[in-house]
Each structure stands twice: as C-alpha cells, then as structure tokens.
C-alpha cells in the first residue's frame, strides 16, 4: 500500500504542479486530466506486477455483463436519478424554482432531452477513462487498507481519494469562495461516491460498473447540477454541493446501516507470485 500511495500521490501531484506552474496549462484542459486519471491505475499495475507480484486475480477486470446487467443499469442511470432527487431537494427547500426550459439553455442550441441522451451515451464512451481511477482506488486500495472491514475500508479509501484531489482547489481547477468549507463538502461527496461505488463493485463483481457510475457522476450528475442550479438557478457551489448530497447521503446511509456489504461476495486477495 505504501508503494501504491507514493506512486499515486507523488506522480499525480508532481504532474499537476508541472503542468500548471511550469507549462502554464489549465488543469481544466482535458489532456492533462486524461494523464492524471490513469496514474492510480498505473500505480496499481506496477505494484501488482513488480512489487508484490500478486497478479490481478481480485481486480474485477471481467465485465460480467450477463451476470451483472442489473448493476450496469443502476450505474448508468443512477446518477440521473440522484440528479432528479437533488433538484427536488432544492425545490423543497425553496432554493430553486422548476424551469422546464432550463435544460435547453445549458448548451445553446441543444434541446434538453437531446442533451441528457447525449450525455448518457458519452458516459459509456468515457467509461474506460474513469477506469483509471477506479482500478487504483476501488479495486486495489479499498481491498487492502482494512481487510475484513468493508465499511471502514470504504470510508478510508474515500477520504484518501478526496485528499488526492485537494491540490486541484489550489491550482485553478475549482475555485471556492471558502476553501476550507469547499474542501469539506468535496470530501463528503467523495465519501458518498465511494460508498456507492463499492456497493456496485461488490454486487457486480466487476470494476467496470464502478467506472461507468463514476463517469455518470461527473458527466451527468455534476455537469447538469451545475448547469441547472448554478448557471440557471444562480446558486453558489457551496449551496449546490450540500443540497445535491442530501439524496446521496440517504443512499449511503441505507447501504451502510442495512449492512449491504456483508451480503455481497468479497473477492479473495490475489496471492499469485
């Protein structure tokens, strides 16, 4: 784990500083984002192959479409459901007035239904990119950080994953009016996401369901929430984030309190040497 964390953090943070400070590129640029996203996967491959020589038996690389099709559907459409629940929460709190035309204003010239459909298709296309993070965090670190304690291991992995992102708040990728509060809410979001991703990983037996859900979280949930509540609704990110997290916390509470992890098959750690 030490070798994995040193590689994942050291290489990523070093690249982010060089790209933003030395070359002056924005970290919102898709090209550096693509390179950063694969660092956790590369770190896991290096450790599995050359440090521990344990192989990839527990990595969940098989798609398992026939056995896990229900979880692929949940991973694909779940972020859209969380978006709807978050918007309804904003409406219930009196923070947002429903506007049927708001979706069509997010991307000029693209009708709302076409935008949603296009994003859902884009999620499938981009799933291999999000595999880069999932193969490192959910499919490697989480299995090893606290063996036999899946809930605790999931929360610690989510915390580590959040900290891995922290430099982005100081290098121009995101900007918060209150950095401390912003990072706290960001961390809560990563914890919630890791709880749900772990449930998908355990239930499906594949890392590809979590990669699909991760892509949906970024390209559907986060993008459309920003377009509807921040751009169209005029709400600050520090208000939108906790509002959107209300349904996520509810789902995570259901997973953890009902001990859903205990009823799921746990992959045996690789021991191939």
């Amino acid at each position: 784990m030490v070798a994995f964390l040193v590689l994942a953090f050291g290489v990523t943070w070093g690249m982010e500083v060089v790209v933003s400070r030395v070359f002056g590129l924005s970290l919102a640029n898709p090209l550096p984002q693509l390179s950063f996203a694969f660092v956790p996967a590369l770190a896991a491959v290096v450790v599995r192959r050359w440090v521990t020589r344990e192989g990839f038996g527990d990595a969940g690389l098989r798609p398992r479409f026939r056995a896990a099709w229900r979880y692929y559907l949940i991973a694909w459409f779940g972020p859209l459901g969380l978006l709807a629940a978050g918007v309804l929460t904003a409406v219930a709190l009196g923070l947002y007035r429903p506007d049927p035309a708001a979706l069509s204003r997010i991307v000029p010239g693209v009708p709302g239904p076409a935008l949603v459909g296009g994003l859902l298709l884009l999620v499938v296309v981009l799933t291999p990119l999000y595999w880069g993070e999932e193969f490192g965090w959910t499919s490697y670190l989480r299995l090893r950080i606290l063996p036999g304690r899946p809930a605790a291991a999931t929360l610690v992995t989510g915390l580590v994953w959040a900290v891995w992102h922290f430099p982005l708040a100081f290098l121009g990728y995101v900007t918060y009016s209150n950095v401390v509060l912003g990072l706290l809410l960001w961390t809560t979001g990563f914890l919630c996401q890791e709880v749900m991703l772990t449930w998908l990983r355990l239930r499906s037996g594949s890392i590809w369901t979590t990669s699909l859900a991760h892509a949906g979280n970024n390209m559907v949930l986060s993008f459309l929430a920003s377009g509807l509540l921040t751009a169209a609704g005029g709400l600050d990110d520090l208000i939108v984030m906790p509002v959107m997290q209300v349904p996520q916390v509810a789902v995570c509470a259901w997973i953890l309190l009902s001990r859903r992890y205990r009823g799921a098959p746990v992959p045996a750690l690789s021991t191939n040497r």
Side-chain angles (χ1 to χ4, degrees), residues 158-182:
L159 180 60
V160 172
W161 185 29
V163 173
W164 181 73
H165 284 82
F166 278 7
L168 297 177
F170 303 95
L171 296 175
Y173 179 77
V174 293
T175 304
Y176 297 118
S177 56
N178 184 316
V179 176
V180 174
L181 180 57

Side-chain angles (χ1 to χ4, degrees), residues 29-230:
N29 188 309
L31 186 59
Q33 283 185 39
L34 176 61
S35 60
F36 303 152
F38 280 97
V39 172
L42 291 174
V45 169
V46 168
V47 173
R48 285 178 179 274
R49 179 65 181 84
W50 290 288
V51 177
T52 63
R53 299 175 186 247
E54 63 194 283
F56 301 85
D58 63 350
L61 289 173
R62 292 178 55 201
R64 305 186 76 247
F65 290 125
R66 291 184 63 182
W69 63 270
R70 296 176 182 85
Y71 300 103
Y72 278 99
L73 288 179
I74 293 172
W76 195 16
F77 292 101
L80 190 60
L82 290 172
L83 170 71
V87 171
L88 288 175
T89 301
V91 172
L93 294 174
L95 299 172
Y96 178 72
R97 178 176 296 178
D99 181 2
L103 270 176
S104 299
R105 292 198 296 268
I106 294 177
V107 178
V110 179
L115 175 62
V116 173
L119 289 174
L120 287 173
L121 292 177
L122 183 62
V123 162
V124 177
V125 174
L126 295 182
T127 291
L129 303 184
Y130 290 93
W131 174 89
E133 287 188 55
E134 291 306 308
F135 187 74
W137 306 120
T138 306
S139 201
Y140 183 79
L141 181 64
R142 186 196 58 79
L143 286 176
R144 288 157 178 78
I145 201 162
L146 288 171
R149 300 173 60 190
T154 298
L155 293 175
V156 173
T157 299
L159 180 60
V160 172
W161 185 29
V163 173
W164 181 73
H165 284 82
F166 278 7
L168 297 177
F170 303 95
L171 296 175
Y173 179 77
V174 293
T175 304
Y176 297 118
S177 56
N178 184 316
V179 176
V180 174
L181 180 57
L183 290 179
L184 178 62
L185 292 171
W186 212 15
T187 300
T188 302
F190 281 111
L191 290 172
C192 289
Q193 190 174 173
E194 186 61 33
V195 169
M196 293 184 282
L197 293 177
T198 294
W199 180 80
L200 283 170
R201 169 72 177 88
L202 291 173
R203 289 286 171 176
S204 68
S206 175
I207 195 60
W208 292 103
T209 55
T210 70
S211 303
L212 178 63
H214 188 165
N217 177 76
N218 284 26
M219 302 309 302
V220 175
L221 176 57
S222 297
F223 178 77
L224 291 180
S226 177
L228 289 173
L229 301 183
T230 303

